[in-house]
Amino acid sequence: MVNCPRCGAEAEPSGKEFKFGVFEGKAFRCKSCNRPFNAFYRGNKFSHTVPKAK
């Protein structure tokens, strides 16, 4: 499970997955602040989120 980059709460996947260059992207929605964000993976290893975590 991925944590929200804005508030740090646990987020749930929205089901959308996409390819972005060398990254595999997955869309998430925060359970706490109810805002969407994308998490990017490279070779099944977590890379970063957009927006970036503070």
Side-chain angles (χ1 to χ4, degrees):
M1 202 53 81
V2 177
N3 291 337
C4 177
R6 293 179 183 96
C7 69
E10 192 172 290
E12 59 186 30
S14 67
K16 181 181 176 185
E17 295 184 9
F18 54 93
K19 182 94 170 150
F20 188 75
V22 296
F23 297 103
E24 295 290 331
K26 294 183 182 181
F28 288 86
R29 180 163 293 276
C30 178
K31 293 179 181 179
S32 177
C33 62
N34 200 31
R35 296 184 67 188
F37 66 94
N38 294 322
F40 293 91
Y41 299 84
R42 186 172 185 179
N44 293 329
K45 184 179 176 188
F46 176 75
S47 177
H48 63 280
T49 60
V50 173
K52 289 185 177 182
K54 293 182 178 181

